[in-house]
Each structure stands twice: as C-alpha cells, then as structure tokens.
Amino acid sequence: MLAAKLFLPPRPSISQTLPFQNPTIKPSQNLSTFKSSCLQSSSQSVLTETLSTTPSKTRVKILSEALPFIQKFRGKTVVVKYGGAAMKSEALQSSVITDLVLLSCIGLRIVFVHGGGPEINQWLNRLGIKPSFLNGLRVTDASTMEIVSMVLVGKVNKHLVGLINKAGATAVGLCGTDGRIFTASPSPNSDQLGFVGDISSVDTSVLRPLINDNLIPVIASVAADGTGQSYNINADTAAGELAAALGAEKLLLLTDVAGILEDKDDPESLVKEIDVKGVKKMMEDGKIAGGMIPKVNCCVRSLTQGVKTASIIDGRLEHSLLLEILTDEGAGTMITG
C-alpha cells in the first residue's frame, strides 16, 4: 500500500490541466494573465476584467477549467504559512501576495501566518547580536525576544498588510498576543532555547468575524503566556494549530524545498501525494530528516485534528499557491488524513 501511495502516476502537467490553444503563449503566461486580470478590478468585478492581449477563447477556457477548483474551495478556509525563499525574493513575494488576493477574490477564506527569520537576523547583526540556533530553533534570550517582537509585529507584519491592501484585498495585521489568538507556554528546552514557546491554546473568536467578512488576517508568530511574557513561536507550528482550530480545509506551508522526497538526495523523487500512515513510515525509515521533520509533524498534527489536507509546497516556484489550489499539477507534496 505504501508503494502505491508513494509512486502515484504523475499529476497532469499544467498544459494538460489548462487547455491552452494558442501555441505562442506559454502556460505560465496564461496563468499569470488570468491572475493579473482578476486583480485589476475591485473584488465585485474582479473576474470580468481581462487583458486585451489574451485571445477571448483562451480566457474563457482558462476560467472554465478553473471552475471545479473554485467550486471546491469557495467559502472554505485555507491557512497559508509564509516564509523562506518566498519571503527573501521581492519577485516571489509579489507572486505570493497577488496569488493570495486572487484566491480571496474568488471566495477562499485566507488566513496568512508568517515568520521572518532573515529580517530578524539582519536586525540582530545591525545591533551586534550574533544569531544562534539549536536544532533549527532560534535561541531567544530577553534582548533577542525584544527584537523578534519589533521586527515580526512592527515591521514584517505591517509590510505584508500594506502589500495585500495595495494589491486590492483588505488585510488586518495581528500577532498571536492579540485577542489571545495563541496562548504560549515555555518550550521543554527553555533552559537552552530561552523564550521559545509552544502553543498551549488557540482562541479564534477575534479571527472569525474578519474571515467571515472576507478580510485577510495576517498573523505574526509571536505570543504571550498568562503572565504577559512574550515568546517566539515557530511559524509552522502556529499555522498548523490555527488551521486545526479554524477547521480549515487546507494548510499550506511554503518552504525552500520541492516537498517530501522519496530519496532525499534525489530532487527528482518528489512524492506528490501521501497519507499520514505513509509519511509516518517514511520518518521511521529515515527518509524524512532534518528540517523537514518538524514540518511533517506539524502537518500530521493538524490532519489528526480535522484539517482535510496539508501541503508542503515549493515557495521558490512562481505562483506556487495557484498551482497547488487551482490545478492538478500541484507545487509540492500533499498529505491527506
């Protein structure tokens, strides 16, 4: 059964998924054109505005082919964790933001969770503080925690909110402390990690009215415990716990890798789809290691709490969110319950 799960027939290519008839236009150009067209008008008329340079029949075929995916996800909550290469590259950042706005315009309820490791490192270096990590987690003393809060909540969060608003949607910037979205507790390794926290509870009461009004919550992965002490929370963990609490249809983790590999030394051995039992077997066999382990554990935990599917997708791909949600092609590995 495991082999059957791991070696599924390849998903159709995007050229098969979207029936492009004009050989002079590449599929990626058509997808970008469709996306751009949807973003040029207000949300009320977003799907009626199109680029005059795209043939009418091509536009209609693209929209028609996307319809089953739109119907599947319309009105459903999708939690996106943003970080890695997609955060460091301005071009990829722009791609992610416009994809989010398009998905929101066609009726998906988007919740956007972010970290900001590169930006934190940049400011620590400016202040003469050397970043330190233990097992992939940032060692966070009191001075580092202060900088983490300032950078994630005050700078990165508001920057992302501004980009989403500029692209045509309405975003609301929050952190885990606001409305006690996350209540933190010290990590079991707090003697070594400092103010790195786990999530002890999630309260979505502040978020639900925003989501129901088609606003996009943008949440920085900082939270506080019952005494008000701030903690640095792993953004993957925050996204997974929030997806479970919201009963999300899908959890998406943007990463710097293609997804889960059958052979971690072979980038061509991507596992397109696998269930929880199969992915646990891969971890037992040592096929999943290093920084992929906490991401997979995050996905498995969210699935066991009711999230329908969780995907680890390649944030280095332009429009990876659209590829994962609106096509059969996908952009990484989808884990099912």
Side-chain angles (χ1 to χ4, degrees):
M1 289 295 291
L2 176 61
K5 289 288 183 184
L6 294 178
F7 299 104
L8 292 170
R11 294 178 180 178
S13 67
I14 192 165
S15 60
Q16 294 171 310
T17 305
L18 302 178
F20 303 98
Q21 298 298 317
N22 189 338
T24 65
I25 301 177
K26 296 179 181 179
S28 60
Q29 291 174 326
N30 280 287
L31 187 58
S32 297
T33 298
F34 169 55
K35 172 187 66 62
S36 299
S37 299
C38 290
L39 294 175
Q40 285 182 351
S41 63
S42 66
S43 58
Q44 288 80 11
S45 59
V46 69
L47 291 177
T48 61
E49 191 90 18
T50 54
L51 295 179
S52 59
T53 55
T54 305
S56 298
K57 289 184 178 180
T58 302
R59 295 200 302 266
V60 170
K61 285 176 184 280
I62 294 170
L63 289 168
S64 176
E65 190 65 28
L67 179 60
F69 300 99
I70 296 171
Q71 290 174 321
K72 177 180 179 180
F73 288 105
R74 183 174 177 82
K76 301 295 178 60
T77 299
V78 175
V79 177
V80 179
K81 181 267 177 174
Y82 176 57
M87 182 171 274
K88 290 179 278 189
S89 161
E90 287 189 12
L92 289 176
Q93 185 177 79
S94 175
S95 167
V96 169
I97 296 300
T98 51
D99 286 359
L100 281 180
V101 174
L102 185 148
L103 293 172
S104 176
C105 285
I106 61 176
L108 279 71
R109 299 179 174 188
I110 302 295
V111 179
F112 201 39
V113 179
H114 69 88
E119 191 95 25
I120 294 170
N121 290 342
Q122 181 183 359
W123 280 93
L124 287 173
N125 289 327
R126 285 188 184 184
L127 297 171
I129 301 173
K130 184 178 180 180
S132 179
F133 294 86
L134 178 66
N135 297 326
L137 296 175
R138 184 184 300 279
V139 177
T140 309
D141 58 16
S143 58
T144 301
M145 186 65 239
E146 187 175 7
I147 294 167
V148 167
S149 292
M150 289 190 295
V151 172
L152 290 189
V153 181
K155 188 174 189 299
V156 175
N157 186 269
K158 302 316 171 196
H159 175 65
L160 293 173
V161 167
L163 290 177
I164 293 171
N165 290 343
K166 182 180 178 181
T170 301
V172 178
L174 300 163
C175 74
T177 308
D178 296 317
R180 288 189 290 271
I181 296 171
F182 301 127
T183 298
S185 59
S187 164
N189 299 324
S190 59
D191 56 329
Q192 296 174 291
L193 291 170
F195 296 108
V196 173
D198 291 333
I199 295 175
S200 59
S201 66
V202 182
D203 186 343
T204 62
S205 57
V206 169
L207 297 176
R208 291 189 184 277
L210 301 177
I211 296 169
N212 291 339
D213 285 343
N214 201 35
L215 306 179
I216 300 178
V218 180
I219 304 168
S221 55
V222 171
D225 64 13
T227 69
Q229 172 61 53
S230 293
Y231 286 88
N232 183 16
I233 306 294
N234 179 274
D236 291 330
T237 301
E241 293 299 309
L242 187 57
L246 289 168
E249 180 76 14
K250 195 169 187 65
L251 168 66
L252 297 171
L253 304 182
L254 286 166
T255 68
D256 289 344
V257 295
I260 297 174
L261 303 178
E262 168 65 15
D263 178 355
K264 57 181 178 289
D265 297 320
D266 180 7
E268 299 299 319
S269 63
L270 176 66
V271 178
K272 286 282 192 178
E273 186 174 337
I274 188 170
D275 63 12
V276 168
K277 183 178 178 180
V279 82
K280 286 183 176 179
K281 181 66 164 57
M282 288 187 72
M283 286 194 285
E284 291 171 3
D285 294 342
K287 293 181 178 181
I288 297 173
M292 185 58 71
I293 291 177
K295 295 183 185 299
V296 170
N297 283 335
C298 164
C299 291
V300 170
R301 180 171 168 81
S302 68
L303 291 167
T304 58
Q305 294 182 87
V307 176
K308 299 293 179 60
T309 65
S311 295
I312 299 172
I313 66 175
D314 192 346
R316 301 167 301 177
L317 292 176
E318 190 176 11
H319 305 307
S320 55
L321 291 177
L322 295 187
L323 286 169
E324 183 64 26
I325 292 177
L326 295 182
T327 76
D328 284 325
E329 173 73 7
T333 299
M334 182 170 71
I335 307 174
T336 64

